[in-house]
Amino acid sequence: MIKTLVNLAEKPIATFVFAHGAGAGQNSEFMQLMAQGIAYQNINVLRFNFAYMQLAEELGKRRPPDRLDKLLTHFKILLNEIDNSLPIFIGGKSMGGRIASMLLEESTAKGCICMGYPFHPPDKPEKLRTEHFLCISKPVLILQGERYIFGKREEIGNFNLSQQVQVSY
């Protein structure tokens, strides 16, 4: 069983499974503030740490993220463990949103919300991470900062994305 934190909504209409970014876990200020704000909108928010982040917190020492396949497996396991009596939405901050978006099609989730999507590594715009967005059939909302080094506004307009993917700045 994967350890989770839950922000319960007063009158929940859905559950949002919220994954952290590469450098800060489920307890970061950003994750806490966003979870509180989303729960205030009557959506339960379930936060978790990927295995590498859990270990980093236990050891008190930063660690790099696990390989992509391990991150995907961890998120899949969690999705199989949670209560799905309410509609499920998945997403996350940066890396967490990327992992969620890659799982969206095979999951029972209704949609995905990415808070800062890492379209490419910093200073490597030729190494796009958008292939899975070409044929996605469920709605994806990407909330992107205009100067985010993983994909700036002027770059994103040139990306080939499914019509289900909406980018907002």
Side-chain angles (χ1 to χ4, degrees):
M1 198 76 179
I2 295 174
K3 273 177 49 175
T4 59
L5 294 175
V6 180
N7 292 74
L8 291 173
E10 194 172 308
K11 296 178 182 175
I13 58 170
T15 298
F16 179 54
V17 182
F18 191 21
H20 62 79
Q26 68 181 351
N27 292 313
S28 72
E29 183 178 5
F30 176 86
M31 294 291 289
Q32 289 181 49
L33 289 172
M34 291 306 296
Q36 290 167 3
I38 294 167
Y40 186 74
Q41 300 300 317
N42 290 319
I43 298 169
N44 289 332
V45 180
L46 189 145
R47 291 178 281 147
F48 67 97
N49 276 335
F50 287 105
Y52 82 92
M53 186 60 70
Q54 187 63 45
L55 183 59
E57 287 185 3
E58 290 168 8
L59 298 175
K61 186 178 177 187
R62 291 181 63 94
R63 298 180 52 84
D66 289 321
R67 291 184 334 269
L68 182 61
D69 61 331
K70 193 168 181 180
L71 297 169
L72 289 164
T73 298
H74 189 91
F75 207 136
K76 283 181 201 177
I77 290 169
L78 176 65
L79 289 175
N80 287 328
E81 292 177 353
I82 64 172
D83 174 13
N84 63 359
S85 58
L86 292 172
I88 303 287
F89 292 83
I90 59 178
K93 180 183 188 306
S94 194
M95 178 198 76
R98 178 180 180 215
I99 302 305
S101 70
M102 294 177 80
L103 291 175
L104 180 60
E105 285 298 303
E106 67 183 79
S107 76
T108 59
K110 304 293 185 198
C112 181
I113 303 168
C114 303
M115 298 176 197
Y117 186 84
F119 285 101
H120 58 71
D123 300 321
K124 295 183 182 174
E126 70 282 358
K127 293 191 175 196
L128 287 180
R129 300 169 175 156
T130 58
E131 188 173 311
H132 67 289
F133 284 137
L134 294 173
C135 56
I136 208 153
S137 65
K138 295 180 183 179
V140 176
L141 173 61
I142 298 174
L143 304 171
Q144 194 79 348
E146 292 195 19
R147 297 172 305 204
Y148 190 43
I149 61 171
F150 295 94
K152 297 177 183 161
R153 184 179 199 156
E154 60 271 11
E155 299 170 325
I156 297 168
N158 299 321
F159 298 161
N160 191 11
L161 308 172
S162 160
Q163 292 200 350
Q164 291 295 326
V165 180
Q166 178 184 344
V167 181
S168 182
Y169 303 92

